[in-house]
Amino acid sequence: MQTISPTPAATLLFRQQPRRHTDGVGHVPSAGTVRRYAKDEEIFGEGDRTAYYYKVVEGTVRTSKLLSDGRRQIGAFYLPGDLFGIEAGDEHRFSAEAVGEAKVVSYKRCGLEGLAANDNDFAVAIVEALMQALARAQDHMLLLGRKSAIEKIATFLLDISERLNEDSFELTMSRTDIADHLGLTIETVSRSLTQLERKGYIALPSTRRVELRDKPALAQLVG
Amino acid sequence: MQTISPTPAATLLFRQQPRRHTDGVGHVPSAGTVRRYAKDEEIFGEGDRTAYYYKVVEGTVRTSKLLSDGRRQIGAFYLPGDLFGIEAGDEHRFSAEAVGEAKVVSYKRCGLEGLAANDNDFAVAIVEALMQALARAQDHMLLLGRKSAIEKIATFLLDISERLNEDSFELTMSRTDIADHLGLTIETVSRSLTQLERKGYIALPSTRRVELRDKPALAQLVG
DNA sequence: CGGGCCGTTGACTCTTGTCAATCGCGGTGG
DNA sequence: CCACCGCGATTGACAAGAGTCAACGGCCCG
C-alpha cells in the first residue's frame, strides 16, 4: 500500500475525469488537519461517530476490536501513506490507536459531499483504500484461520518488508501488538522468531530490528 | 445483509440525487443475466478477470482462498440479496462457488461506466456491499484470531439466524464448509455442536437443521 | 545504580487436530 | 420393496501445537 493508483473497479464507480494531481501516496485534498498522537493514544474508538477519514503521515497506526473480556484482535497496521477509518454506518466498528509516536492527517467526511462531484480523485482514493483494506482482510483471514504460528510470523515479516520495500527494518510495534494481530500469544511470537533465526532465515540484531536473510525460504513458509 | 439501505458513508461518496426505485434487496440495474449453478460449481476462480459483479438470487455462495497445500479459508457465505465479487485490481483474489444449487445474477462491470454518472443507485449499492463486506471481515478476523471453538460456533449460528431472521433454520453448507469458514476441523465443528446441544442451547433435529433454544446463552458465548 | 518494562526461555497444561472406527441417511439397483 | 453402497457426520483415543504460568534476562530511564 505504498502508492495508491486507480484500478478499473474504482475508476468505474465514478465518471471519468482528468486526474488533477497526485503526490505518490494517493491524492488527497488540501483541507486535512494534521495532528501528532502519543504512543498508544486513541485516534478514534469503537462506537465513535465516523466523522473523519485519516491518513498516516509518520509512524504506525493499528486498528483493533475487543471482546468483552479484553481479548483483542488488531485488524491491520497502517504505515505512512495508508488511508484508514473508512467505514459503513455512522459509528466506528473498531478503534484506532497510534503505535509509538505518529503523525496523522484527518479529513472531514462531510466535506466529501461536494468533492465527489468536482474532485473525483479523493473519492477514488477512498474506494481504493476500501478495496485495499478488503483484499488485505481476505488474506489475513486465511492467515488467522489456516496458518501455523511459524507461517504467520513468516507471512507477517514478508508483508512488512514488502510494504517498506526493505529487507532489513525496524518493527514499530511490540510483541503484544504482533501477537494480537496474528492471533497468537507473545510467547509464541517470541519462540517463532527465535526459531526462524536459528534456521538462519532471519537475523534479530536487536529486539525490534529484523533482517530477512532467506526470503525464498520464508516465502516457502507462507503457503 | 437482508436489505441494503444507504448509509451516510456511501451517500457521501456520491452527489446527492433522488433514488429512483428499490426492490427490497438493493437496487440493481435491469441489465444483469441470471444463471443457475450446480453444487460446488465455480462462479469465478482466483486469478480470473474481474469482469462482473454478482448477486445471489437463490441458494448460498461461498468465497474462498486456498494455500498451496490445499488448506482452505472460506471468507464469507452469501445469502439471497447479497452482492459479491467486488474487488480491487483486475483479477479476483479469491474464488466463488455455489454451496448446493444456486441462482446468481451477474452484471458486467464495464457497463457501470455510464451508470455511475446517471444512475447513482447501483454505484451506491456497490460501495455499500464493499463496506458491508469489510465490516464482516473485521468481525470475522476477531472470531478467527481470538475465539474458542465453541464461541466460533455460537457466533456463526447467531449470525446465520440473524441474517435469515429465523430462530430455526436449515444449514445450506456442509460441516467441511463451516470448518473452513471458522478455522476449525469438521470434527471440532461436530463436537462443538453436540456440546451446545447437550447444554440445551440448541437443538439438532437433523444434521442440517438447527434450532436456537437459548439465544441469550449463545449471545453470552460470542464475547 | 536500581527499578520497571518488555522480551525470552522453560516446564507443564489444555484445547484442538489427527487418525480411525462407526453411524446414519439417501440413493440405487437387484 | 429391500438390501447394499457411499458419503457425510459423529464419536473415541491419542498426539501435537499453542497457551499458561513462572522465572530470568536485558535494556532503558530515572
Side-chain angles (χ1 to χ4, degrees):
Chain A
M1 242 211 247
Q2 286 306 93
T3 60
I4 297 177
S5 57
T7 66
T11 313
L12 292 172
L13 282 170
F14 301 89
R15 286 170 306 140
Q16 281 308 116
Q17 252 187 22
R19 321 279 317 274
R20 249 166 297 187
H21 46 282
T22 41
D23 62 5
V25 287
H27 169 79
V28 289
S30 42
T33 46
V34 186
R35 231 206 91 177
R36 290 206 148 274
Y37 291 87
K39 181 168 144 57
D40 295 325
E41 194 181 346
E42 185 176 278
I43 299 168
F44 58 80
E46 209 170 330
D48 283 6
R49 294 197 63 78
T50 49
Y52 300 93
Y53 298 130
Y54 304 86
K55 193 170 92 165
V56 182
V57 177
E58 270 176 41
T60 307
V61 170
R62 62 171 182 255
T63 53
S64 56
K65 288 180 76 80
L66 293 175
L67 291 176
S68 49
D69 63 359
R71 278 174 288 176
R72 182 176 69 151
Q73 176 64 42
I74 294 180
F77 293 111
Y78 296 90
L79 306 181
D82 295 344
L83 280 168
F84 67 97
I86 304 154
E87 277 192 79
D90 54 2
E91 281 191 3
H92 281 294
R93 304 198 43 179
F94 49 82
S95 66
E97 302 108 33
V99 175
E101 174 108 336
K103 200 195 275 183
V104 169
V105 215
S106 58
Y107 307 98
K108 248 212 170 62
R109 211 167 85 160
C110 46
L112 269 180
E113 204 156 19
L115 262 179
N118 311 321
D119 181 357
N120 241 315
D121 291 357
F122 190 47
V124 168
I126 294 286
V127 174
E128 265 308 297
L130 207 54
M131 288 182 165
Q132 270 276 9
L134 186 56
R136 287 196 154 277
Q138 298 279 355
D139 289 344
H140 205 58
M141 287 191 287
L142 177 60
L143 176 145
L144 291 170
R146 288 295 177 224
K147 289 186 185 178
S148 69
I150 290 254
E151 292 170 338
K152 286 176 177 179
I153 296 288
T155 307
F156 175 69
L157 294 180
L158 281 174
D159 179 58
I160 296 283
S161 161
E162 200 170 305
R163 290 167 72 184
L164 295 175
N165 208 29
E166 295 282 353
D167 284 1
S168 171
F169 49 89
E170 205 77 28
L171 289 173
T172 50
M173 66 293 287
S174 69
R175 297 292 192 265
T176 303
D177 282 344
I178 298 173
D180 285 349
H181 182 48
L182 303 181
L184 299 170
T185 58
I186 52 169
E187 292 93 335
T188 302
V189 169
S190 187
R191 279 190 258 263
S192 303
L193 283 170
T194 33
Q195 206 172 325
L196 288 176
E197 188 180 31
R198 273 203 271 268
K199 286 187 175 185
Y201 295 179
I202 64 172
L204 301 164
S206 71
T207 48
R208 290 293 180 100
R209 182 143 207 99
V210 180
E211 289 172 16
L212 306 191
R213 289 292 174 79
D214 192 347
K215 291 221 271 185
L218 289 171
Q220 192 82 2
L221 280 179
V222 315
Chain B
M1 243 212 248
Q2 286 308 92
T3 60
I4 299 178
S5 57
T7 65
T11 313
L12 291 172
L13 283 171
F14 301 90
R15 286 169 304 138
Q16 281 309 115
Q17 251 189 23
R19 321 279 317 276
R20 251 169 292 189
H21 45 282
T22 41
D23 62 6
V25 285
H27 167 78
V28 288
S30 41
T33 46
V34 187
R35 230 205 94 175
R36 291 206 146 275
Y37 291 87
K39 178 166 146 57
D40 295 324
E41 193 180 348
E42 185 176 278
I43 299 166
F44 57 80
E46 211 170 328
D48 283 6
R49 293 197 65 77
T50 50
Y52 301 92
Y53 299 130
Y54 304 86
K55 193 168 90 163
V56 182
V57 177
E58 271 176 41
T60 307
V61 170
R62 64 172 180 254
T63 53
S64 56
K65 286 180 78 79
L66 293 175
L67 290 176
S68 49
D69 63 358
R71 279 175 287 176
R72 183 177 68 152
Q73 177 64 43
I74 294 180
F77 292 111
Y78 295 90
L79 305 180
D82 293 344
L83 281 169
F84 67 96
I86 304 153
E87 276 193 82
D90 53 3
E91 280 191 2
H92 281 294
R93 304 197 41 178
F94 49 82
S95 67
E97 303 107 33
V99 175
E101 176 107 335
K103 201 195 274 183
V104 170
V105 215
S106 58
Y107 308 100
K108 249 215 168 59
R109 212 168 83 160
C110 48
L112 269 179
E113 204 156 19
L115 263 177
N118 312 321
D119 181 356
N120 240 316
D121 292 356
F122 190 49
V124 168
I126 293 287
V127 174
E128 266 309 297
L130 207 54
M131 288 182 163
Q132 270 276 11
L134 187 56
R136 288 197 153 274
Q138 299 278 356
D139 289 345
H140 205 59
M141 287 192 284
L142 178 59
L143 176 146
L144 291 170
R146 287 298 179 220
K147 291 186 184 179
S148 69
I150 290 255
E151 291 171 339
K152 286 176 177 179
I153 295 287
T155 307
F156 174 69
L157 294 179
L158 281 174
D159 178 59
I160 295 282
S161 161
E162 200 171 303
R163 290 168 72 184
L164 295 174
N165 209 28
E166 296 281 353
D167 284 1
S168 171
F169 50 87
E170 205 76 28
L171 289 173
T172 50
M173 66 294 287
S174 69
R175 296 292 190 265
T176 303
D177 282 345
I178 298 173
D180 285 348
H181 182 48
L182 303 180
L184 299 170
T185 58
I186 52 170
E187 291 93 335
T188 303
V189 169
S190 186
R191 279 190 257 266
S192 302
L193 283 169
T194 36
Q195 206 172 325
L196 288 176
E197 188 180 31
R198 273 203 272 269
K199 286 187 176 184
Y201 295 179
I202 64 172
L204 301 164
S206 71
T207 48
R208 290 293 181 100
R209 184 143 206 98
V210 180
E211 289 171 15
L212 306 190
R213 289 292 173 79
D214 190 347
K215 290 221 270 184
L218 288 170
Q220 192 81 4
L221 280 178
V222 315

